[in-house]
């Protein structure tokens, strides 16, 4: 079966712009989590969605938001981009999100200039 | 606050030797501890996990041990091979939510030929 798909793979944006990233989970998976990964910072949790509801949110500013659709696909949006938002954004899907394996997408590499 | 401390940040071992990575968690109620491997340029993938009702779990050359009293768990890789070179992440559930994992900062494992 198809894995987790993230689009686009690469993005270059200018400070002040906004961006929307997309994540298509594995079929049947209802939980989608988003992470920001920067060199030396590991995986920083952004938020988690299950059945179109945000269940958890990390410590990121309100410029970072997300949503999940009825087909479990998820999007995250970053408004008013800053240079420090440059990172690899990973999404992960799992059946329920609780004590189950998380399958990661290949990520979207965002560069803010 | 809650956190997962992971050590060492970098580990260099000779091919064929063993490698041990240790993580310490803060919440005694945590009951699920996964380990993910991220090869250079690739997505993180689950390699092994352990639940709090067991003290050790093995899968070929990989094993994880859990010490609930000391609140730490360790990844053991025996007979290391070049393909073991990667960044390894440990994680534990957040105190008030089993749906969110708190991640360690990662360990870069280098296998020297």
């Amino acid at each position: 079966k198809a894995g987790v798909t993230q689009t686009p793979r690469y993005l270059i944006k200018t400070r002040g712009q906004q961006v929307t990233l997309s994540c298509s989970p594995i079929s049947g998976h209802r939980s989608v989590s988003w992470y920001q990964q920067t060199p030396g910072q590991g995986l920083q949790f952004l938020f988690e969605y299950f059945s179109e509801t945000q269940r958890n949110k990390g410590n990121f500013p309100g410029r970072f938001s997300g949503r999940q659709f009825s087909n479990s696909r998820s999007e995250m949006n970053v408004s008013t981009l800053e240079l420090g938002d440059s990172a690899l954004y990973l999404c992960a899907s799992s059946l329920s999100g609780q004590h189950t394996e998380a399958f990661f997408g290949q990520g979207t590499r965002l560069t803010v200039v | 606050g809650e956190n997962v401390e992971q050590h060492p940040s970098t580990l260099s071992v000779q091919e064929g030797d063993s490698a041990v990575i240790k993580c310490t968690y803060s919440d005694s109620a945590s009951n699920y501890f996964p380990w993910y491997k991220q090869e250079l340029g690739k997505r993180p993938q689950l390699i092994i996990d352990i639940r709090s009702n067991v003290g050790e779990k093995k899968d070929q050359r990989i094993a994880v041990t859990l010490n609930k009293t000391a609140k730490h768990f360790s990844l053991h890789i025996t007979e290391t091979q070049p393909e073991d070179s990667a960044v390894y992440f440990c994680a534990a559930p957040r105190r008030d939510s089993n749906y969110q994992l708190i991640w360690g900062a990662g360990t870069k494992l280098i296998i020297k030929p």
Side-chain angles (χ1 to χ4, degrees), chain A residues 32-89:
Chain A
V32 175
S33 295
W34 287 90
Y35 295 91
Q36 181 193 68
Q37 186 174 40
T38 52
Q41 293 299 313
L43 294 162
Q44 302 298 314
F45 174 77
L46 281 154
F47 26 65
E48 187 254 355
Y49 287 87
F50 182 85
S51 293
E52 303 179 67
T53 300
Q54 186 183 87
R55 287 196 300 197
N56 293 284
K57 190 176 191 304
N59 297 322
F60 277 80
R63 299 185 298 106
F64 293 81
S65 63
R67 60 178 175 170
Q68 187 180 35
F69 302 95
S70 58
N71 62 357
S72 293
R73 188 178 71 85
S74 179
E75 291 182 344
M76 71 163 272
N77 184 77
V78 188
S79 63
T80 320
L81 283 166
E82 301 177 357
L83 294 179
D85 296 333
S86 295
L88 178 67
Y89 290 87

Side-chain angles (χ1 to χ4, degrees), chain A residues 4 35 37 42-43 45 55-56 96-99 101-102 104-106, chain B residues 31-32 36 38 43-44 46 51 89 93-94 97-100 103 105:
Chain A
V4 179
Y35 295 91
Q37 186 174 40
L43 294 162
F45 174 77
R55 287 196 300 197
N56 293 284
S96 67
Q98 182 180 26
H99 299 182
E101 180 176 358
F104 284 83
Q106 288 190 295
Chain B
N31 54 10
Y32 173 68
Y36 282 76
Q38 186 176 27
R43 68 192 80 189
L46 180 71
R51 299 174 194 275
F89 293 97
R94 200 179 86 177
S97 172
N98 278 321
Y99 307 111
Q100 180 187 336
W103 294 80

Side-chain angles (χ1 to χ4, degrees), chain B residues 25-37:
Chain B
Y25 58 98
S26 56
D27 179 19
S28 58
S30 292
N31 54 10
Y32 173 68
F33 308 92
W35 285 90
Y36 282 76
K37 174 184 180 182

